[in-house]
């Protein structure tokens, strides 16, 4: 029973049962299938394995082992406790007896055979070992196991030079800049919101002080009619005093422990028995049997979900199916043990392999559906949310100068970046108004760069078109005039957006392999036909 429970717990982890409280995105889809998966784990799987063990050669092994146990009991009853040694060897003087002959016959028949419980334990142990070796911290790790002596094997097709990385067949998803709020509902009807009110994050992947999630205790609110508790959070580096308070190791865990202690002491929570009961209710027990409160559980889950990067496998079904075949041949089919057991038991080995493959393949189908759905969401083309142009004044017709002169946001940016003073009077501007002085300034400074983000998207004239639309329409060939492109996007989406337009036109690439190169996909790698790759 212990082997069954151990494997069932692993399956619940693989199928993300800890996410049952979440009701958005893929978790909403998972919640629809959760009952089906739970029934498979709890009822269908054990019954299917038990039924298979009662069929064919494995049933024969179970019966032989059972018959041996019956014969052993008869020997002990008829001949006494000294008839058998501790390891089951019959004393020679009892060989001619009836009970002794029956025992020796049963022993020969059951040689290397396993009983029902032992066979069941073997199957569950193999299934647990296989799925556990490829799953780690919420991700499936694409490391092909080879043997006990040589742990991992790298796929190699005879290339002279091969660039290989552990997650070459996975998408790397960075979550560190996509912070979200989090909501969970307690059994007593209270809704708890973790709301992010400020985030001081690293910009452009520039490494700095480590950031932590810190609750803002003074801003906790309780809405009694709605039975809703809101706990605000900030993400930022620790200040000097906080660094001392939370120590030098496992600081986020220390912050969580302190938050659990202090949140319940705040007036909005203390004065609301329902809120206090929701936070202090037991959510689960850890491996040591210690009680974990709902607040502790959800704090850990919320913070981990916003700070842990993860992977999506591009072909989880194909990978696990290939690895299962390899595992069966390399670790289940033990030729030395088969040879020692004899030909009579060989059929049982193959029946066990078929059973493990059948159950394993069924689980792989379930897992692949989840992973494929996540992949579908990730690969779905995203919308371009904003597009702006930076254009030097020498390329802008003078008909637009009046509107440029009236755009205060653009002039403020120029003053801040370039320290210009368009108000200064000169021989050409003396006696003129502010607008006229600005127009003269634009004419005498043709290299000023205008940013269209400062101009309202709605039409400012009766033409029905915005300033940006009319300005871009004034170019005979906008594509030819555009000599630079800057894309602020997730890498995979940006590369796929640009792939067709710049296919086989790239002469030099500055890239960070393998993480960025792995995102592109085989069909678009033809775009990257550079004469020079510069890696950093």
């Amino acid at each position: 029973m212990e082997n069954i429970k151990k494997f069932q717990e692993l399956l619940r982890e693989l199928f993300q049962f800890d996410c049952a409280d979440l009701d958005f995105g893929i978790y909403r889809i998972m919640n629809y299938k959760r009952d089906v998966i739970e029934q498979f784990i709890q009822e269908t799987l054990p019954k299917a394995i038990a039924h298979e063990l009662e069929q064919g050669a494995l049933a024969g092994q179970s019966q032989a082992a059972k018959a041996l146990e019956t014969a052993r009991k008869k020997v002990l009853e008829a001949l006494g406790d000294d008839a058998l040694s501790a390891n089951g060897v019959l004393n020679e003087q009892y060989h001619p007896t009836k009970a002794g002959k029956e025992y020796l016959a049963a022993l020969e028949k059951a040689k290397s055979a396993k009983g029902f419980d032992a066979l069941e334990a073997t199957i569950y142990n193999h299934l647990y070992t296989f799925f556990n070796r490829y799953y780690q911290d919420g991700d499936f790790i694409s490391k092909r196991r080879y043997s006990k002596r040589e742990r991992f094997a790298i796929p190699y097709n005879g290339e002279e030079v091969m660039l290989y990385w552990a997650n070459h067949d996975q998408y790397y998803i960075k979550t560190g800049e996509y912070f979200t709020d989090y909501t969970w509902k307690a059994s007593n009807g209270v809704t708890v919101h973790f709301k992010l009110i400020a985030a001081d994050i690293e910009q452009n992947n520039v490494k700095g002080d480590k950031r932590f999630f810190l609750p803002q205790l003074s801003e906790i609110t309780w809405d009694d009619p709605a039975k809703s508790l809101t706990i605000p959070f900030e993400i930022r580096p620790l200040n000097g005093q906080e660094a001392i308070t939370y120590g030098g190791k496992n600081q986020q865990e220390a912050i969580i422990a302190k938050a659990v202690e202090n949140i319940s002491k705040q007036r909005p929570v203390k004065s609301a028995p329902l809120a206090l009961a929701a936070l202090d209710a037991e959510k689960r027990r850890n491996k040591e049997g210690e009680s974990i409160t709902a607040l502790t559980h959800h704090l850990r889950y919320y913070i981990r979900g916003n700070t842990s990067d993860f992977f999506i496998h591009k072909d989880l079904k194909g990978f696990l199916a290939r690895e299962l075949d390899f595992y069966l041949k390399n670790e289940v089919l033990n030729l030395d043990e088969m040879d020692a057991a004899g030909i009579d038991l060989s059929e049982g080995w193959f029946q066990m392999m078929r059973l493990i493959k059948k159950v394993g393949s069924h689980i792989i189908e379930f897992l692949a559906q989840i992973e494929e759905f996540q992949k579908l969401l990730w690969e779905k083309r995203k919308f371009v949310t904003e597009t702006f142009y930076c254009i030097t004044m020498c390329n802008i017709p003078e008909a637009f100068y009046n509107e440029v002169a009236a755009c205060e946001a653009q002039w403020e940016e120029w003053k801040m970046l370039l320290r210009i003073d368009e108000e200064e009077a000169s021989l050409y501007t003396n006696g003129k108004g502010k607008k006229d002085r600005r127009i003269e300034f634009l004419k005498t400074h043709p290299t000023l760069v205008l940013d269209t983000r400062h101009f309202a998207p709605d039409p400012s004239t009766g033409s029905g078109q915005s300033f940006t639309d009319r300005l871009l329409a004034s170019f005979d060939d906008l594509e030819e005039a555009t000599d630079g492109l800057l894309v602020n996007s997730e890498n995979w989406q940006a590369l796929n957006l640009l792939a067709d337009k710049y296919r086989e036109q790239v002469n030099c690439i500055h890239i960070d392999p393998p993480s960025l190169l792995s995102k592109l996909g085989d069909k678009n790698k033809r775009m990257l036909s550079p004469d020079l790759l510069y890696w950093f």
Side-chain angles (χ1 to χ4, degrees), residues 94-105:
Y94 298 118
H95 283 199
T97 64
K98 181 181 179 182
K101 289 178 180 179
E102 289 178 357
Y103 177 77
L104 292 173

Side-chain angles (χ1 to χ4, degrees), residues 102-128:
E102 289 178 357
Y103 177 77
L104 292 173
L107 185 63
E108 180 62 27
K109 190 172 182 180
K111 184 181 179 182
S112 299
K114 296 179 179 179
F116 182 92
D117 291 342
L119 287 170
E120 187 180 58
T122 299
I123 289 168
Y124 280 113
N125 282 337
H126 277 303
L127 288 169
Y128 179 88

Side-chain angles (χ1 to χ4, degrees), residues 30-49:
M30 283 297 301
N31 287 334
Y32 283 118
K33 290 196 169 187
R34 198 170 303 283
D35 291 340
V36 176
I37 297 172
E38 179 62 41
Q39 184 178 10
F40 169 77
I41 294 173
Q42 194 67 30
E43 299 178 19
T44 308
L45 177 62
K47 287 180 180 179
I49 291 178

Side-chain angles (χ1 to χ4, degrees), residues 49 51 81 143 145 181 188 203 237 301 306 369 451 483:
I49 291 178
H51 176 75
D81 293 341
K143 292 182 178 180
R145 302 289 180 128
D181 297 338
N188 64 355
Q203 296 294 326
Y301 192 82
N306 276 297
Q369 289 180 35
D451 189 341
D483 56 4

Side-chain angles (χ1 to χ4, degrees), residues 65-256:
K66 190 174 182 181
L68 176 62
E69 180 60 23
T70 302
R72 188 186 71 83
K73 290 180 179 178
K74 285 184 178 181
V75 167
L76 295 176
E77 290 174 1
L79 306 176
D81 293 341
D82 63 338
L84 290 173
S85 66
N87 57 1
V89 176
L90 181 66
N91 195 315
E92 287 190 14
Q93 64 177 323
Y94 298 118
H95 283 199
T97 64
K98 181 181 179 182
K101 289 178 180 179
E102 289 178 357
Y103 177 77
L104 292 173
L107 185 63
E108 180 62 27
K109 190 172 182 180
K111 184 181 179 182
S112 299
K114 296 179 179 179
F116 182 92
D117 291 342
L119 287 170
E120 187 180 58
T122 299
I123 289 168
Y124 280 113
N125 282 337
H126 277 303
L127 288 169
Y128 179 88
T129 300
F130 173 74
F131 285 102
N132 187 55
R133 64 170 42 176
Y134 296 109
Y135 187 79
Q136 179 181 326
D137 298 330
D139 294 314
F140 286 95
I141 308 300
S142 301
K143 292 182 178 180
R144 181 176 184 180
R145 302 289 180 128
Y146 183 68
S147 67
K148 294 178 181 178
R149 180 181 300 176
E150 298 169 332
R151 269 186 91 185
F152 301 112
I154 295 176
Y156 175 65
N157 294 318
E159 299 93 335
E160 184 176 342
V161 177
M162 182 179 69
L163 177 64
Y164 180 82
W165 52 100
N167 62 313
H168 72 286
D169 50 3
Q170 295 173 305
Y171 292 125
Y172 172 57
I173 315 300
K174 186 173 177 62
T175 60
E177 296 177 4
Y178 300 96
F179 304 118
T180 59
D181 297 338
Y182 179 91
T183 300
W184 54 280
K185 193 166 186 176
S187 58
N188 64 355
V190 171
T191 302
V192 182
H193 305 278
F194 295 158
K195 187 173 182 62
L196 191 67
I197 58 174
D200 174 12
I201 62 172
E202 299 164 345
Q203 296 294 326
N204 302 319
N205 209 31
V206 176
K207 302 302 179 185
D209 294 333
K210 189 174 181 180
R211 270 69 172 167
F212 298 92
F213 277 81
L214 295 154
Q216 301 305 293
L217 302 176
S218 62
E219 299 183 39
I220 293 176
T221 58
W222 166 251
D223 184 343
D224 192 64
K227 293 199 295 186
S228 175
L229 180 69
T230 300
I231 305 174
F233 282 83
E234 287 183 345
I235 180 169
R236 57 174 174 79
L238 300 179
N239 60 36
Q241 182 57 48
E242 289 169 339
I244 295 172
T245 302
Y246 298 120
K249 293 183 178 180
N250 300 322
Q251 291 166 302
Q252 188 65 72
E253 273 298 314
I255 293 170
I256 291 174

